[in-house]
Amino acid sequence: PYDPERAKSLLAEAGYTNGFDLTIEVLTGFSSVDTLLYQQVAQDLRMIGIEVTVRTPPFASWLRKFQSNDWGDTDAFSLMWDSGAYADAILPVRNFSCAKAVPFFCDETIMPLIEQTDRIMNVEDRERHLQQLMRKMRDLAPALLLTTATQRVAASPRVQTLTLNPPNIAYHTITFN
């Protein structure tokens, strides 16, 4: 729950009684609210003593840094790529693990579970392993999850059958009148 006093207490417990400075690079223009979202995050952090500087680099600059993991004096960054396009949680897990070519976060203890999940072809078994993997990633907390992406689907009245396999369309099942 939102609890600024508890957050201040945890910072003090960690040795940051006077807070600290934090520079964040964020990508904007991908949604109608991303700029407001990052402004709110900066405001909330300032309330507990973390002095936030928000930078908005061009995408090409951000992508170079993401690929090389060379962030310079940047302490944190936004990452809008999720599993939505593939309906498979393994993509963001790979981006937040030692599996990434030049990782920004690497905890070797999670790698055997990633590798095991990659070998599972049975849909139900894979889903169970992915859920276990996602619980472990949540507990490791390599990121703050700020928002959920949504997808809108529209179809012509000619479409007779349209199956959604959230968050994707099962294109192979579409039939027309």
Side-chain angles (χ1 to χ4, degrees), residues 3 15 18 40-41 49 51 54 64 82 94 106 143 164-165 168:
D3 188 346
N18 298 322
Q40 184 65 53
V41 168
E51 190 53 43
V54 178
R64 181 192 56 75
D82 62 13
R94 287 186 170 292
C106 178
L164 298 179
N165 181 11
N168 294 319

Side-chain angles (χ1 to χ4, degrees), residues 16-122:
Y16 295 100
T17 306
N18 298 322
F20 57 88
D21 294 340
L22 182 72
T23 301
I24 304 172
E25 288 201 10
V26 299
L27 294 173
T28 57
F30 290 89
S31 81
S32 59
V33 298
D34 52 15
T35 299
L36 293 173
L37 177 72
Y38 296 127
Q39 288 173 354
Q40 184 65 53
V41 168
Q43 180 180 328
D44 288 350
L45 290 172
R46 285 186 188 109
M47 285 179 58
I48 63 169
I50 300 173
E51 190 53 43
V52 179
T53 301
V54 178
R55 295 185 197 150
T56 55
F59 179 74
S61 172
W62 179 96
L63 184 59
R64 181 192 56 75
K65 292 175 182 181
F66 179 74
Q67 296 294 358
S68 67
N69 195 26
D70 180 9
W71 292 96
D73 65 346
T74 301
D75 302 304
F77 57 91
S78 67
L79 181 58
M80 297 295 288
W81 295 331
D82 62 13
S83 60
Y86 305 100
D88 192 343
I90 205 69
L91 177 63
V93 167
R94 287 186 170 292
N95 280 333
F96 285 81
S97 76
C98 311
K100 187 175 180 295
V102 184
F104 55 86
F105 177 82
C106 178
D107 184 324
E108 291 287 347
T109 65
I110 201 86
M111 294 310 297
L113 188 53
I114 291 173
E115 292 160 6
Q116 181 183 16
T117 302
D118 280 344
R119 291 189 299 271
I120 299 171
M121 293 297 152
N122 177 280

